[in-house]
Amino acid sequence: MIEDIVNLLDEIRSGKAQEHIHENIELKQSWKKEYGIDISALGNKLDKPCCWLIVGIKDNGNLHGLIEKQARQIEQNISQQINEFLDPVQACTQICCHEIEESWIVIVQIKNPGDVVYWDNYAYIAPGTTSRKLEPDQILELRIKLPGRTDYSNQPIDSEYDTNLIQTFIQRINITAHSVELGKEPIDTLQKLHIYQKQTARILFGNCRFRLIKYDKSGEPIANDQYYGLYKILTDDFQKEIQTWTAKQLNIDTPPFPEKALKESLANAVAHAAYFEHDGDIIIELYPDHLSICNLCIQDSVYFANKWFARSHKTINNLLMEVLRIANHVDELGRGKNLIFSESIRNGKPEPEVFIEKAGKYNRWKLLLYAGTTDEVNIRLLARIRECYRDEQKSLIAFSLVLWRDKKVQEIRNYVDGDFSRQFAEVLSSGNGPIFYDKQEDKIVLTRWARVLLGEGRDSKVLSSSEEKWLKELTYTMCTKLHNGEITPQRLRSFIQMGNTSSEKSLSSKILTKWHGEKLLRKLNRGKYSWIQEPEDYDKSAIAQYLLKLFETGKSSEN
């Protein structure tokens, strides 16, 4: 049986790499997506320590004659399709190209990860040379035989540990007053937590490494340091180093990053990295005005990118997450993304961003957290929004919609999930905040007072059609509730925080004159009117239902 790549290459050179000789290899002349079922079947061979799928070799063991360009393209195609169709993805431990006698081959190494291996939602097995689909009862039988160790962080491994990092972890547990039995020595505590000689302990306190890179204002790297033991990322000293260095670059005395957002961003990287490839490849890059935190992630993570208002969450590192919860670095409620976003905008910082990049078999998650001085205009805007809603979550949603005002609502719904859908629909259709929704153009429109506060709408001489629709509804509601249906130019200006310049006085008078001509108002005397019928242009209830349907399903009720 071939158990390492050196022996495999020797067998290929000698022409002995044939399926009838070795039960743990599968040969293909070329690659098609449907050949992935053989990867599933090889992954479900429980009696083999590892298996190999080799592209570029005929069934008789002779080289097919691929050139390097073809092999590299096949390697890329297999990597992308494994990312998309193989579950669990860690069943594939490596993909590589090799040249043998001026012919190229692509080698895929497969190991059972401790659970049933699926390809495109189906599991396969190869009792002979042909792969066939497993029936549900067969899958159950197979799963019973397996240890269920798809959790890489729970797998055993021999490792040495940094006892100072373990002591810092123990001190953190003592501060959180968590009911955990601690040992007399650092190693004793790992044993009592059942993580001694497990990947979780190696990742946090062992030889799992990360890099910290610092850049100058021109984008040139000025430091590139490597550290071992990812628990260092979660320590107060490390986070203080980030704050201090960035503050010095910006020449400010206050912390440049919101403390809670920074802690949560770093904890997310440690908790959710795909450690089965290059130890998660965590890279922290410090620029003078922002921070980049990168880690390898699985394909499923694409769903969570920039979903700032969501409670949905998923981790592939269950044991690691439990240990981080003990020390109160993460929680189980899925609040992390929302906390990072909310803390950033609460403190007047630019909104954070997440980018997903391709990185071989896996993806790379890159979070950008922005520093710099506080934007006082945004702070004042958020304070004014809080007066409108008197509900912190709706206030943050409304403020976010101001930040996203150049985006279509169809795009914004991708940032929202679950519990937040109804709140977004309510804020967008409320009409009494900083924005309102123009259904016809599917866009967000700033109200007059928000534009004035942001310096974008002072002394405007005309109203857009969507703004006028919103204004009719607002003034009708306010006047009916508070002023017996009566409206004056001065009252109109106060509702939407228009100024008292001559142009704005003229505009408010022209608006009421126009509505009088549309038979919506009755003139009482000079400059004083009374509403005689409710405007039909801006139906808040219908818009709210439309938006709720859109946020919950991605489709409006009109589709």
Side-chain angles (χ1 to χ4, degrees), residues 341-353:
F341 187 87
S342 299
E343 285 298 309
S344 294
I345 63 176
R346 273 194 187 105
N347 287 273
K349 309 295 182 182
E351 58 186 292
E353 297 177 281

Side-chain angles (χ1 to χ4, degrees), residues 101-112:
E101 299 175 1
E102 298 183 353
S103 181
W104 284 80
I105 60 172
V106 182
I107 298 174
V108 182
Q109 185 180 27
I110 302 115
K111 291 184 179 182
N112 183 273

Side-chain angles (χ1 to χ4, degrees), residues 62-81:
N62 294 333
L63 295 167
H64 181 55
L66 293 177
I67 62 175
E68 181 179 6
K69 183 178 180 180
Q70 291 173 310
R72 298 294 181 191
Q73 184 62 52
I74 289 171
E75 178 188 27
Q76 182 178 347
N77 292 344
I78 294 175
S79 176
Q80 290 173 347
Q81 290 172 8

Side-chain angles (χ1 to χ4, degrees), residues 163-221:
T163 54
N164 290 328
L165 274 182
I166 300 175
Q167 287 286 17
T168 304
F169 170 69
I170 292 171
Q171 291 169 9
R172 171 82 179 197
I173 294 176
N174 287 330
I175 292 172
T176 59
H178 203 287
S179 58
V180 174
E181 185 180 356
L182 303 177
K184 294 182 179 180
E185 300 295 330
I187 298 301
D188 296 337
T189 297
L190 300 188
Q191 290 173 333
K192 289 181 179 297
L193 292 173
H194 305 290
I195 61 173
Y196 181 65
Q197 302 298 28
K198 294 284 186 74
Q199 286 286 4
T200 286
R202 184 190 71 85
I203 289 167
L204 293 176
F205 313 114
N207 64 356
C208 188
R209 60 188 177 182
F210 70 95
R211 283 189 290 151
L212 175 64
I213 307 172
K214 298 174 182 176
Y215 296 86
D216 61 19
K217 293 180 180 178
S218 62
E220 292 296 321

Side-chain angles (χ1 to χ4, degrees), residues 376-440:
E376 295 299 334
V377 171
N378 281 346
I379 292 293
R380 290 198 301 272
L381 176 61
L382 181 55
R384 176 67 179 83
I385 291 172
R386 284 181 173 132
E387 293 176 6
C388 295
Y389 293 99
R390 302 193 181 280
D391 176 287
E392 184 64 10
Q393 195 61 67
K394 285 189 175 182
S395 297
L396 290 173
I397 288 172
F399 184 76
S400 302
L401 291 169
V402 172
L403 297 178
W404 298 333
R405 60 189 179 275
D406 294 328
K407 302 179 186 293
K408 296 289 187 182
V409 174
Q410 285 278 6
E411 179 182 354
I412 292 172
R413 69 166 296 273
N414 293 324
Y415 306 157
V416 182
D417 195 8
D419 299 341
F420 295 98
S421 295
R422 181 172 295 277
Q423 290 174 298
F424 264 80
E426 289 174 354
V427 170
L428 273 167
S429 61
S430 65
N432 63 333
I435 52 91
F436 61 93
Y437 177 61
D438 184 343
K439 180 180 174 182
Q440 185 174 358

Side-chain angles (χ1 to χ4, degrees), residues 250-412:
L250 295 171
N251 195 27
I252 58 176
D253 297 326
T254 56
F257 299 104
E259 182 179 339
K260 291 181 180 179
L262 177 61
K263 286 180 180 292
E264 190 67 32
S265 299
L266 294 170
N268 272 356
V270 174
H272 301 301
Y275 290 107
F276 34 79
E277 182 81 4
H278 301 303
D279 276 345
D281 199 21
I282 294 180
I283 303 172
I284 300 169
E285 297 175 291
L286 272 176
Y287 296 84
D289 62 347
H290 72 278
L291 167 69
S292 168
I293 305 172
C294 302
N295 60 273
L296 293 181
C297 63
I298 61 173
Q299 177 72 21
D300 292 358
S301 298
V302 174
Y303 171 79
F304 300 99
N306 291 308
K307 259 191 167 43
W308 301 113
F309 289 88
R311 297 214 184 275
S312 55
H313 60 288
K314 176 183 179 180
T315 183
I316 53 174
N317 306 311
N318 294 311
L319 180 61
L320 176 61
M321 281 289 288
E322 290 301 327
V323 172
L324 295 179
R325 286 190 188 110
I326 289 171
N328 201 28
H329 289 295
V330 298
D331 65 40
E332 68 282 2
L333 301 176
R335 298 181 298 180
K337 300 183 296 298
N338 185 244
L339 178 64
I340 294 168
F341 187 87
S342 299
E343 285 298 309
S344 294
I345 63 176
R346 273 194 187 105
N347 287 273
K349 309 295 182 182
E351 58 186 292
E353 297 177 281
V354 170
F355 298 95
I356 301 291
E357 304 168 344
K358 285 293 182 183
K361 286 194 303 174
Y362 303 98
N363 290 330
R364 180 174 294 283
W365 176 287
K366 177 182 286 188
L367 168 66
L368 299 185
L369 199 64
Y370 293 96
T373 55
T374 298
D375 188 326
E376 295 299 334
V377 171
N378 281 346
I379 292 293
R380 290 198 301 272
L381 176 61
L382 181 55
R384 176 67 179 83
I385 291 172
R386 284 181 173 132
E387 293 176 6
C388 295
Y389 293 99
R390 302 193 181 280
D391 176 287
E392 184 64 10
Q393 195 61 67
K394 285 189 175 182
S395 297
L396 290 173
I397 288 172
F399 184 76
S400 302
L401 291 169
V402 172
L403 297 178
W404 298 333
R405 60 189 179 275
D406 294 328
K407 302 179 186 293
K408 296 289 187 182
V409 174
Q410 285 278 6
E411 179 182 354
I412 292 172

Side-chain angles (χ1 to χ4, degrees), residues 220-240:
E220 292 296 321
I222 56 176
N224 188 342
D225 299 314
Q226 184 168 268
Y227 300 91
Y228 292 89
L230 299 192
Y231 194 75
K232 182 176 181 63
I233 294 174
L234 308 179
T235 63
D236 292 339
D237 288 345
F238 183 78
Q239 292 166 19
K240 183 178 179 181

